[in-house]
Amino acid sequence: DVDREQDYTIKAVKEWEKLIAKTPDSPYAKKAKVLVSQGKRRVAESVAFIIHFYCKQDVYHACAYRAIQLADEYPEFVDLRVDALEHAITALGEVAKAKIADPTSDKNLYFKTMTADEINARAENFKKLLADYKKSVEKK
């Protein structure tokens, strides 16, 4: 389940990747490749679940942090990446507002070293990235 800790899934993916590297031509490697893809998807879906949880709870710094993480680490899952970038844009906007209201607030935990302008600039960069990404996906 994606609402559970994914440590064992991550460990399994690493082991399957080792098997593929050691014996790329074995029949087990073929099955392991499928399992790697499924395992990574499961981990990415778990991160997406966490993103949605944090956003619903208005914990925008954590929502933005996890959304950026998902977009960076799992670009192969287009649907999850687009959703993550959209959440990152929204959440970063909220983080910037909180930073303006109270620069020392814990609502900026993951972005303490950034100014509101820097946070807003990052959100704008993600908007451009998302637009470019959607265009490239449409062309395929």
Side-chain angles (χ1 to χ4, degrees):
D1 292 334
V2 296
D3 61 339
R4 306 272 183 194
E5 187 61 52
Q6 296 299 312
D7 287 346
Y8 289 116
T9 306
I10 292 166
K11 287 178 185 177
V13 166
K14 287 179 183 176
E15 291 303 315
W16 292 323
E17 288 173 334
K18 285 181 192 175
L19 178 111
I20 294 165
K22 285 182 182 178
T23 59
D25 298 325
S26 78
Y28 300 111
K30 185 177 179 181
K31 176 70 174 171
K33 288 176 186 176
V34 172
L35 293 172
V36 164
S37 179
Q38 290 173 347
K40 286 183 176 183
R41 175 77 190 197
R42 184 176 182 167
V43 173
E45 287 175 349
S46 179
V47 175
F49 178 85
I50 294 165
I51 292 165
H52 289 218
F53 172 81
Y54 282 136
C55 284
K56 283 181 189 175
Q57 299 298 318
D58 297 335
V59 184
Y60 292 111
H61 67 100
C63 174
Y65 177 80
R66 290 296 191 132
I68 293 165
Q69 176 190 31
L70 190 151
D72 288 346
E73 292 180 17
Y74 300 98
E76 66 268 34
F77 304 118
V78 175
D79 58 327
L80 297 177
R81 187 165 198 235
V82 167
D83 184 61
L85 288 170
E86 289 170 347
H87 276 86
I89 292 162
T90 301
L92 285 169
E94 294 298 324
V95 169
K97 288 179 196 173
K99 179 71 96 168
I100 291 166
D102 182 1
T104 62
S105 171
D106 284 341
K107 292 183 178 181
N108 297 309
L109 186 64
Y110 292 111
F111 303 94
K112 271 197 182 287
T113 62
M114 296 174 74
T115 66
D117 288 341
E118 290 171 329
I119 294 167
N120 279 322
R122 192 147 191 213
E124 285 301 315
N125 287 338
F126 282 126
K127 284 181 188 175
K128 291 174 190 168
L129 175 67
L130 181 59
D132 292 345
Y133 187 68
K134 283 182 176 180
K135 283 179 193 174
S136 72
V137 169
E138 288 172 6
K139 288 180 183 178
K140 290 182 182 178

